[in-house]
Amino acid sequence: MTTTIIKKEFGKEKHIQYIIEKGKKKDDFEYWAIEQQHMSGVYWGLTALYLLNRIHEVEFQPMISYVLQCQHPNGGFSGNVDHDPHILYTLSAIQVLALLDALDRLDKQKIANYIASLQQPDGSFAGDQWGEIDTRFSYIAISIVTLIGKREAINMQKAVEFIVGCRNFDGSFGCIPGAESHAGQTFCCVGALAIAGALEHVDHDLLGWWLAERQVPCGGLNGRPEKLPDVCYSWWVVSSLSIMHRLHWIDKQKLAHWILECQDEDGGIADRPGDMPDIFHTFFGIAGLSLLGYENIDSIDPAFALPVSLLNKLSIPLPWANNNNNNN
């Protein structure tokens, strides 16, 4: 028996208004709860607006000035003014400046030196001066040096070797060697290997099976076995499947329907139906729909998590996109 899924409308205009208003509200709890992560919040909001063809509704110059205020003498960026620099927010800052057509404002060699200083002898990367190691930071480092055209600044071979050492028996990846398989970490590793030109280290079929198993009966995706679905995995899982050309291994229509069910009637997208929306899940819900080929949403690249049109403008090669489409 074929199940007919009633298509729920995508609230584009409400989401645009939600994102723009979130950028203005500095007196609510949500703003201060993630105050130290504000740079990433700016990236989530701007990328969503770009995908919805409405980035022109924000003022570029104040945002550019804000980002540059967050850079430190060592080349790294912090999540907000008066916070410590971190590799994560350095990527967010570069992504924001790329979206605002302001990469020429950067001292790229200074940033490259900062990233290189965080690489460890085993090829891994620390997030900051305090030394936490995580494959997230490997992905970020490889993304940064590629976006700024300084790939020679790091030891790419050692970086790839560390990531490969984090691969588990099920084909997926953890945050360090021997750590639990997780869809978020898997995106970081698959994305990093794609950008590094080393996808031959990924077992496409084995990992594709593990990722396809993340879809639960409601259509949503989880990050690990026996966990609840969450809209953010509409990005973490679908991006990896897209890079590997295994997106057809899940029920795309059912996932799209579930993402739409997570919309708030006043704008924004929540982690799951009935919960409060936030900017994080709003971005990842829109990005997931983009990867699914949803109408009226521009294409996002599954590795860089930036609009394809922007990456083309920057002349960034996207070899994993060859012969890939929404039916693969």
Side-chain angles (χ1 to χ4, degrees):
M1 179 182 293
T2 301
T3 301
T4 300
I5 297 178
I6 300 174
K7 185 176 180 181
K8 187 171 182 178
E9 182 179 354
F10 177 64
K12 178 178 178 177
E13 294 302 322
K14 288 185 177 181
H15 297 325
I16 291 169
Q17 193 61 34
Y18 171 83
I19 294 167
I20 292 173
E21 288 301 315
K22 276 296 176 186
K24 299 176 180 178
K25 292 181 178 179
K26 297 185 178 181
D27 58 352
D28 63 5
F29 173 78
E30 184 178 344
Y31 175 86
W32 291 105
I34 64 167
E35 183 264 348
Q36 76 283 2
Q37 305 173 9
H38 190 250
M39 188 69 72
S40 292
V42 174
Y43 155 69
W44 298 328
L46 286 182
T47 307
L49 290 176
Y50 200 112
L51 294 174
L52 299 176
N53 291 301
R54 299 292 276 277
I55 194 170
H56 61 276
E57 295 198 15
V58 301
E59 293 186 59
F60 282 26
Q61 288 307 315
M63 287 197 171
I64 293 171
S65 297
Y66 164 75
V67 172
L68 295 176
Q69 287 176 41
C70 294
Q71 187 170 28
H72 290 251
N74 65 3
F77 289 78
S78 54
N80 210 333
V81 178
D82 295 329
H83 284 272
D84 293 334
H86 194 283
I87 195 171
L88 195 164
Y89 304 118
T90 302
L91 175 59
S92 293
I94 291 169
Q95 290 168 322
V96 169
L97 292 178
L99 291 161
L100 299 175
D101 194 23
L103 285 179
D104 59 341
R105 302 287 297 275
L106 293 173
D107 182 338
K108 297 176 182 177
Q109 188 58 55
K110 190 175 184 180
I111 296 171
N113 292 342
Y114 170 70
I115 300 303
S117 74
L118 296 173
Q119 188 167 27
Q120 308 301 301
D122 65 355
S124 65
F125 287 85
D128 56 19
Q129 62 178 320
W130 310 114
E132 179 188 6
I133 303 298
D134 192 306
T135 46
R136 289 180 301 154
F137 308 148
S138 297
Y139 165 78
I140 288 168
I142 293 171
S143 295
I144 287 174
V145 297
T146 302
L147 287 170
I148 64 175
K150 298 289 183 181
R151 286 167 67 95
E152 72 283 355
I154 65 172
N155 187 328
M156 192 68 75
Q157 181 178 346
K158 293 291 289 185
V160 167
E161 289 174 0
F162 174 77
I163 294 169
V164 173
C166 298
R167 186 179 58 202
N168 292 322
F169 72 94
D170 51 19
S172 57
F173 296 80
C175 59
I176 56 175
E180 179 184 14
S181 297
H182 190 283
Q185 303 295 153
T186 295
F187 157 75
C188 291
C189 293
V190 173
L193 292 173
I195 297 169
L199 275 176
E200 69 273 12
H201 295 292
V202 177
D203 187 327
H204 290 46
D205 286 344
L206 180 60
L207 177 55
W209 165 81
W210 188 85
L211 290 169
E213 286 290 305
R214 305 280 58 78
Q215 190 163 38
V216 298
C218 69
L221 299 161
N222 62 24
R224 294 172 288 168
E226 304 302 321
K227 296 294 184 178
L228 293 174
D230 188 309
V231 159
C232 69
Y233 294 110
S234 304
W235 170 261
W236 308 121
V237 173
V238 174
S239 56
S240 297
L241 289 172
S242 296
I243 291 171
M244 300 189 300
H245 298 200
R246 298 294 187 278
L247 187 50
H248 61 290
W249 285 18
I250 62 171
D251 189 328
K252 296 183 289 184
Q253 182 186 12
K254 200 168 184 181
L255 173 58
H257 175 76
W258 187 77
I259 296 172
L260 295 176
E261 286 293 325
C262 296
Q263 297 178 109
D264 188 88
E265 62 181 12
D266 295 323
I269 301 175
D271 58 346
R272 53 186 63 93
D275 287 351
M276 291 292 292
D278 57 68
I279 194 68
F280 175 86
H281 290 95
T282 299
F283 164 63
F284 284 115
I286 292 171
L289 290 172
S290 173
L291 290 177
L292 294 171
Y294 200 83
E295 59 187 1
N296 298 320
I297 301 177
D298 281 0
S299 296
I300 190 169
D301 179 71
F304 284 104
L306 286 168
V308 171
S309 59
L310 173 62
L311 293 166
N312 289 337
K313 181 180 177 181
L314 296 173
S315 300
I316 303 292
L318 308 174
W320 48 87
N322 292 341
N323 300 317
N324 197 12
N325 57 55
N326 294 312
N327 294 317
N328 286 357

